[in-house]
Amino acid sequence: MNVSRRQFLWRLLPLIAVMTFVLTGCGDETLSALKPKGPVAHEQLFLMGLSLAVMIFVFVVVMAIYIYVLVRFRKRKGQEGIPKQVEGNHVLEIVWTVIPIILLIIIAIPSVTATFNQARDLKNDKDAIHIKVTGHQFWWQFEYPDYGIVTAQDLVIPVGKKVAFELTSADVNHSFWIPSLGGKLDTNPGMTNTFYLQADEPNVYKGECAELCGASHALMYFKVNAVSQADFDQWVNKMKAPPAVVPASAQKGEQLFKENCMSCHSVGVNGLSFGPNLNGFASREKIAGILEHNDENLKKWLSDPQGVKPGNKMVLSNKLTPEQVDELVKYLDTLK
């Protein structure tokens, strides 16, 4: 490596270091494990900080000893031959054996305690909110068995209450993750995993799939709306209310929906279906989890779902004309 190239690299390193620190401040605070908004996330962040502190301590001590040895035992001017060899120091051997054990204990005790605490199965806890989560390619289904509600993509939970999750998958392995509220847990076909989370502050938190599961894995987002108990009860009542009478202007779209979409989707309160339950669809902020909710994006989704979310399993019974798409949009806009 020539001198000019070496100098260029040395000048580039500080710039990379500065950019690294700047970029660590980027991102969405509702999608960050470093800004916890619940007791589970707080406990996990504490464990990360504790482990990091121990590692930094070990690094500093080792580097200090390393530098001391380099300076103290460097070759002196005029020194010839091999220096006097010193072997065996029982005190030092005991010290550098005991200290790592102590450090491991410092990490292990809170880690094991937190692991068992967060692995509690609250399935029979009457004070918890119970939600069954099913991962699909590439969307999430949320079932509230205590309330007889099934919905998709938008998860609504009350603030300050433990939420007991039962996780499974309808197809391949997925991973359910709400960074601001706690760590991720896999959803596997044919089995159920359980854990709990809790939100301390009202907010809209973002979740995603953390397991590579197909072409649109990176687009498998969902939203967690943490609200007050009163707002949660109000949402439950709205979701359980009978569907509103479809206005005459949207009845043609309703018929198109029955002919083309009912084989996969349901609109009822507790209807489980192959595709997302569309109860309250018009009130959701996102279409397919990624598009801003407006009529133009809805038309785009209905006209070319594979172009929006490659690999998804949405297949219309018949190819819709632009006029039919317009009518279908009118109907879907009534599902509030």
Side-chain angles (χ1 to χ4, degrees), residues 120-132 143-147 156-166 195-198 229 232-233:
R120 285 182 296 159
D121 186 355
L122 302 182
K123 189 185 303 182
N124 298 319
D125 188 341
K126 296 181 179 179
D127 295 327
I129 301 296
H130 301 277
I131 301 177
K132 294 181 178 180
E143 179 184 358
Y144 297 72
D146 295 338
Y147 299 96
V156 181
I157 61 175
V159 169
K161 293 196 70 171
K162 290 182 174 62
V163 182
F165 290 100
E166 296 180 42
F195 79 143
Y196 77 91
L197 297 174
Q198 179 179 320
Q229 184 65 51
F232 177 76
D233 293 338

Side-chain angles (χ1 to χ4, degrees), residues 133-137 140 166-175 185-193 209 211-213 220 313:
V133 178
T134 304
H136 298 259
Q137 291 177 306
W140 297 94
E166 296 180 42
L167 309 176
T168 189
S169 172
D171 35 55
V172 300
N173 288 354
H174 301 283
S175 187
L185 189 65
D186 285 350
T187 67
N188 309 109
M191 66 179 294
T192 300
N193 294 326
C209 176
E211 181 81 27
L212 181 59
C213 56
M220 196 169 166
K313 298 176 181 179

Side-chain angles (χ1 to χ4, degrees), residues 107-271:
I107 295 176
I109 291 177
S111 296
V112 172
T113 302
T115 299
F116 280 96
N117 177 53
Q118 295 179 13
R120 285 182 296 159
D121 186 355
L122 302 182
K123 189 185 303 182
N124 298 319
D125 188 341
K126 296 181 179 179
D127 295 327
I129 301 296
H130 301 277
I131 301 177
K132 294 181 178 180
V133 178
T134 304
H136 298 259
Q137 291 177 306
F138 299 94
W139 59 280
W140 297 94
Q141 175 180 281
F142 305 119
E143 179 184 358
Y144 297 72
D146 295 338
Y147 299 96
I149 294 174
V150 176
T151 185
Q153 294 302 102
D154 286 10
L155 178 63
V156 181
I157 61 175
V159 169
K161 293 196 70 171
K162 290 182 174 62
V163 182
F165 290 100
E166 296 180 42
L167 309 176
T168 189
S169 172
D171 35 55
V172 300
N173 288 354
H174 301 283
S175 187
F176 184 75
W177 190 27
I178 312 170
S180 295
L181 301 184
K184 57 192 176 183
L185 189 65
D186 285 350
T187 67
N188 309 109
M191 66 179 294
T192 300
N193 294 326
T194 60
F195 79 143
Y196 77 91
L197 297 174
Q198 179 179 320
D200 286 337
E201 302 175 11
N203 205 340
V204 177
Y205 304 104
K206 294 180 181 178
E208 60 181 31
C209 176
E211 181 81 27
L212 181 59
C213 56
S216 287
H217 156 71
L219 304 177
M220 196 169 166
Y221 300 111
F222 63 96
K223 185 186 73 174
V224 183
N225 192 9
V227 298
S228 66
Q229 184 65 51
D231 288 341
F232 177 76
D233 293 338
Q234 185 178 20
W235 174 81
V236 169
N237 292 333
K238 287 182 178 179
M239 291 294 288
K240 296 180 71 171
V245 177
V246 177
S249 60
Q251 288 179 356
K252 186 175 181 180
E254 181 184 25
Q255 186 61 35
L256 286 168
F257 180 84
K258 292 178 179 178
E259 294 172 354
N260 295 275
C261 311
M262 285 291 284
S263 59
C264 295
H265 296 279
S266 64
V267 184
V269 175
N270 59 355

